[in-house]
Amino acid sequence: MANNINNVVKDFPILKQRVNDERLAYLDNAATVQRPKQVVAALTKFYETDNANVHRGVHTLAERATRDYEDARKKVQHFINAGSANEVIFTKGCTDGLNLVAATYGEQNIHEGDEIVISVMEHHSNLIPWQQLALRKKATLKYIELTADGELDMADAAKKITDKTKIVAVTHASNVLGVVSPLKQLAALAHQHGAVIVGDGAQAVPHMPVNVQDLDIDFYAFSGHKMMSPMGIGVLYGKAALLRSMPPYQYGGEMIADVHRDQSTWADIPFKFEAGTQNIAGAVGLGAAIDYLNALGMKNVQAKEQQLVDYTLPRLLAIPDVEVYGPHDPAKHTGVLAFNIRGLHPHDVATAFDMDGVAIRAGHHCAQPLMETLGLTATARASFYFYNTKEDADQLLNAINETKEFFKIGTI
Ligand code: C6P
């Protein structure tokens, strides 16, 4: 198991390849990260020795698969410091978890005239479920605005969250601006007004220590694939009392207590929310990814990414004709760096970078209301994970300068 954060690239064979005859600098980690050998090995072991359906069989493989799946749940519990493993629901991913809350808690508790408060920097996954719920219920959707620096405006939050607010749903870390929301303060504010708070942890859990009990958050969703698990597995954390009060999300096998011709009763949490055969191997892979992160230490993961931002952000800001979004102070920035080169479409920038072996993302990043707020249609975005190096950062900075030269930006 790797535990020296500066010597981890050896665990990621995919990073050693060349792309377009250049060294690969993989800087699209906000979209999805790469998997270490240890996670792939855990999946292989599961499929080669333990694979079976869970909770149903009494044979040895079924018992082993059930143990592996429930062990993964306990690993998630400890990783985010949930009070109990039954507050951890396995989902398809962050989007699925947020939709679950809107379709169950939201459907049950939002009525005409109620208010739902989100922020303008939300990813569509933490926006559309609330927008559509508000439309269905004739409720009002309100947006917390940003400060000039691109941070969540807490003064505006204090105005927008009122006694009419029933749900506050805010991202923990932005996938565009690279800012972290003061979720603990928001939770206190929401609770003062009798509202519940939902956190979108997609860009937070992989990158920093997260403690759901300390945040006093009611629901918190994230995806495994952004923290090295297979795709198609994610987690919804919810406080047990709230989860127990909610109707099921989907109906079918596994989520029932008793089924009769005319009526049925439901299993206790978390199973009430896990209808049908789940992504068992995905959960096992997520458990292995958590083992890997624990061996590194989440404080070290966060510190390593901060070093990369401390190095890259001032250099990015110093390049003429480059505009960087979000705070310019590296201490206020996660490893997500969104920028534009004057006169160039971000898609052309990303294509040009690919020729230099630099993988970044370009587009609206599933945050169109944020783009509208910033007066943009799209940005380029480089995003770090702990396995990135100063060499990757230099390759990014060189790609910017080369692309500017190629398109004669700043010379005409
Ligand atoms: N953002 C990005 O490149 P899923 O697709 O369910 O794993 O995650 C959705 C999601 C929710 N919230 C935030 C803050 C996110 O960043 C994402 C995924 C990717 O920015 C894909 S659009």
Side-chain angles (χ1 to χ4, degrees):
M1 175 57 70
N3 47 28
N4 177 358
I5 203 148
N6 294 314
N7 185 27
V8 288
V9 176
K10 63 177 176 15
D11 293 333
F12 296 83
I14 198 168
L15 296 176
K16 289 177 202 150
Q17 67 187 293
R18 292 178 74 77
V19 167
N20 295 321
D21 265 344
E22 301 283 347
R23 173 186 178 276
L24 170 65
Y26 184 79
L27 296 173
D28 194 18
N29 294 292
T32 198
V33 303
Q34 301 302 345
R35 281 66 172 160
K37 285 192 270 193
Q38 289 83 343
V39 169
V40 178
L43 285 173
T44 304
K45 179 187 171 291
F46 175 78
Y47 279 123
E48 287 186 351
T49 65
D50 297 347
N51 179 56
N53 214 329
V54 296
H55 302 140
R56 291 169 191 184
V58 289
H59 60 80
T60 301
L61 294 193
E63 279 174 4
R64 274 196 225 143
T66 303
R67 176 205 61 202
D68 294 349
Y69 184 65
E70 293 306 325
D71 279 355
R73 198 188 306 275
K74 284 184 209 130
K75 286 179 190 179
V76 174
Q77 178 205 344
H78 297 303
F79 193 64
I80 59 170
N81 195 35
S84 143
N86 62 20
E87 296 180 313
V88 173
I89 297 161
F90 284 122
T91 63
K92 284 192 290 180
C94 187
T95 304
D96 192 32
L98 294 166
N99 273 281
L100 188 162
V101 182
T104 57
Y105 185 87
E107 205 60 42
Q108 193 174 47
N109 292 286
I110 294 292
H111 304 290
E112 189 169 345
D114 287 344
E115 294 181 355
I116 302 169
V117 177
I118 64 173
S119 86
V120 292
M121 67 175 151
E122 296 312 312
H123 185 280
H124 296 164
S125 294
N126 197 31
L127 189 157
I128 309 172
W130 309 117
Q131 179 193 66
Q132 295 302 306
L133 176 68
L135 288 172
R136 269 198 311 280
K137 299 284 186 165
K138 297 194 172 61
T140 305
L141 182 66
K142 287 162 99 180
Y143 286 84
I144 304 170
E145 302 294 333
L146 304 177
T147 63
D149 224 12
E151 293 184 287
L152 199 83
D153 185 342
M154 285 304 284
D156 194 45
K159 280 189 218 139
K160 297 278 164 68
I161 300 171
T162 70
D163 287 348
K164 283 188 169 178
T165 309
K166 294 290 178 295
I167 297 175
V168 177
V170 172
T171 192
H172 198 174
S174 164
N175 68 323
V176 179
L177 297 171
V179 287
V180 177
S181 306
L183 218 47
K184 191 172 173 171
Q185 284 164 257
L186 279 168
L189 194 58
H191 292 151
Q192 271 167 33
H193 291 280
V196 297
I197 177 154
V198 184
D200 171 352
Q203 302 290 348
V205 177
H207 304 283
M208 61 186 77
V210 170
N211 180 335
V212 289
Q213 290 190 81
D214 181 58
L215 292 172
D216 197 16
I217 195 105
D218 297 299
F219 299 101
Y220 192 86
F222 56 98
S223 291
H225 71 93
K226 294 187 200 287
M227 53 190 287
M228 304 182 294
S229 86
M231 291 178 176
I233 184 83
V235 170
L236 173 70
Y237 160 81
K239 286 182 181 166
L242 287 170
L243 292 175
R244 288 207 169 94
S245 75
M246 286 152 49
Y249 180 35
Q250 291 183 322
Y251 299 95
E254 280 291 283
M255 51 75 65
I256 51 93
D258 274 307
V259 180
H260 304 284
R261 282 193 176 212
D262 299 322
Q263 59 175 8
S264 303
T265 52
W266 316 132
D268 194 9
I269 57 169
F271 310 114
K272 181 169 88 173
F273 295 104
E274 293 181 359
T277 298
Q278 300 296 297
N279 183 353
I280 300 159
V284 170
L286 178 59
I290 288 175
D291 289 342
Y292 191 96
L293 288 168
N294 281 338
L296 292 175
M298 285 310 292
K299 281 194 178 149
N300 297 328
V301 166
Q302 189 176 27
K304 173 72 190 292
E305 290 181 32
Q306 191 61 54
Q307 274 172 23
L308 290 164
V309 175
D310 290 348
Y311 178 80
T312 313
L313 183 55
R315 287 168 174 78
L316 198 57
L317 287 164
I319 304 176
D321 303 304
V322 170
E323 187 169 4
V324 184
Y325 306 102
H328 288 184
D329 175 358
K332 291 182 174 179
H333 230 292
T334 68
V336 173
L337 301 170
F339 61 94
N340 273 319
I341 302 179
R342 188 174 58 81
L344 293 185
H345 193 281
H347 282 141
D348 295 333
V349 171
T351 306
F353 282 19
D354 187 49
M355 298 315 294
D356 287 334
V358 178
I360 62 157
R361 186 176 169 188
H364 54 59
H365 312 297
C366 301
Q368 280 186 308
L370 174 63
M371 292 292 134
E372 275 169 22
T373 306
L374 298 174
L376 300 168
T377 50
T379 78
R381 183 191 68 185
S383 49
F384 292 118
Y385 208 23
F386 62 82
Y387 45 62
N388 286 123
T389 58
K390 193 169 149 287
E391 221 177 335
D392 295 326
D394 284 333
Q395 207 170 322
L396 168 73
L397 296 164
N398 287 340
I400 296 178
N401 287 322
E402 278 179 23
T403 303
K404 279 184 62 191
E405 250 172 59
F406 181 82
F407 287 103
K408 301 196 171 25
I409 301 296
T411 56
I412 44 172

